[in-house]
Amino acid sequence: MTVIALAGGLGAPGVTTAAMALLMTWPLPEGHRVILAEADPDGGAILPGALQGALDNAHGLRNLAVAGRQGQLGEAFWRQLVDITDAGTRDRLVLPGLYDPAHASAMEPVWKPLAGLFSGIEEHGHDVLIDLGRRGAFGPSSVLAQRADAVVLVARNTLRGLQSAQVRLDALREQLGTSTEIGMFLIDSGPFSKEEVRANLGVTVTAVLPWRPKEAAVLSDGAEQPRRFESGELMRAARSAALRVQELVAIRRSRLAPRPPASGLGRVVSGAR
């Protein structure tokens, strides 16, 4: 299974919207599920946004802080998940984030065991998407990025957005080393092409998501869906982005996979030279 962390820079680059788009379009083989965990220390946006306040704060990350102190994190985790599918299939789930940023300090002892839970969740047939917001890839919650298969930086292709992204990329490279793949989602609201971004920031643009405010509002604020939303440009790009992210993870696993030992014949031939 796969653990993907999404992070952003200054301003509102659209991390949560991109994460929701991935959640809705993530390919799911039979029996598999995907979870979006809101782990932004600045607070969650899905309950009041995409879910339009239809649920109270009974579910979410804050409850895991209490469970973690009691040694019951694994049991409590599954009770905090919210099914966002219309059919109630529970194959696309959300772990709502903190509703008050003041609660972030209570999470500090929980981030590490939660990262371990995410890494070991593959036995349940789940992929995990982590919304780290602007600050979550650094500080106490940074272990979530360190234990992920890949970290995807979300940025707008404006001068301000890319300057912020450059600072974040440098910090991520220093923090993660070569153990985690780093990719980028470019929100196409500015003048710079993905080729220019790659040349100047030294990062491959994993996917470009179109700037479509009306479609994005469905994912960020629960706005009424425009006609043909599912087949619209944003969701089509999100489906492609999900596949590109999975390719990014495959590259990492291929790179880290142990190489088979040389065969006896190879050693004999090599020694005969």
Side-chain angles (χ1 to χ4, degrees):
M1 297 298 103
T2 300
V3 179
I4 304 296
L6 293 93
L10 296 177
V15 179
T16 299
T17 301
M20 283 293 294
L22 278 186
L23 176 67
M24 299 301 294
T25 58
W26 195 257
L28 291 178
E30 185 176 355
H32 287 227
R33 298 177 180 179
V34 59
I35 297 169
L36 170 56
E38 273 196 296
D40 185 347
D42 289 330
I46 292 179
L47 280 181
L51 299 182
Q52 295 187 301
L55 298 173
D56 57 24
N57 296 314
H59 295 79
L61 200 62
R62 185 189 181 195
N63 296 331
L64 297 185
V66 177
R69 289 195 297 270
Q70 298 172 344
Q72 299 175 353
L73 181 64
E75 299 173 13
F77 173 77
W78 300 102
R79 296 195 296 269
Q80 302 309 314
L81 302 179
V82 175
D83 182 9
I84 64 164
T85 63
D86 293 334
T89 56
R90 293 191 65 80
D91 56 4
R92 300 184 192 272
L93 303 160
V94 169
L95 172 64
L98 301 172
Y99 61 86
D100 185 344
H103 298 152
S105 59
M107 287 296 300
E108 290 189 11
V110 184
W111 295 125
K112 187 174 182 179
L114 185 61
L117 188 152
F118 289 157
S119 298
I121 209 170
E122 58 184 330
E123 63 186 74
H124 298 281
H126 289 66
D127 292 324
V128 180
L129 308 171
I130 308 173
D131 176 359
L132 292 174
R134 293 176 298 173
R135 295 193 301 121
F138 307 97
S141 57
S142 64
V143 65
L144 296 172
Q146 294 164 10
R147 296 286 296 272
D149 292 298
V151 174
V152 177
L153 187 67
V154 181
R156 297 188 186 188
N157 60 341
T158 62
L159 182 59
R160 180 189 180 203
L162 294 177
Q163 285 181 335
S164 176
Q166 180 67 75
V167 174
R168 291 296 196 277
L169 278 170
D170 291 343
L172 283 171
R173 286 165 178 149
E174 182 177 352
Q175 175 177 277
L176 302 176
T178 60
S179 61
T180 303
E181 295 295 322
I182 300 176
M184 173 176 276
F185 282 177
L186 206 58
I187 308 301
D188 194 13
S189 63
F192 299 101
S193 69
K194 65 178 182 180
E195 290 78 16
E196 291 174 304
V197 172
R198 180 174 62 244
N200 287 279
L201 271 63
V203 62
T204 298
V205 176
T206 310
V208 177
L209 300 181
W211 176 246
R212 295 292 180 269
K214 288 185 178 180
E215 295 177 36
V218 176
L219 302 171
S220 63
D221 296 287
E224 184 177 352
Q225 292 189 11
R227 290 186 60 190
R228 300 176 180 174
F229 170 73
E230 293 292 339
S231 59
E233 189 176 0
L234 176 58
M235 297 305 279
R236 291 202 311 271
R239 292 186 183 91
S240 177
L243 295 176
R244 299 293 84 77
V245 169
Q246 292 182 333
E247 290 175 1
L248 193 67
V249 173
I251 291 172
R252 172 185 183 266
R253 293 182 174 176
S254 175
R255 177 170 55 82
L256 297 180
R259 295 183 179 181
S263 67
L265 176 59
R267 288 194 297 271
V268 171
V269 173
S270 177
R273 291 178 180 176

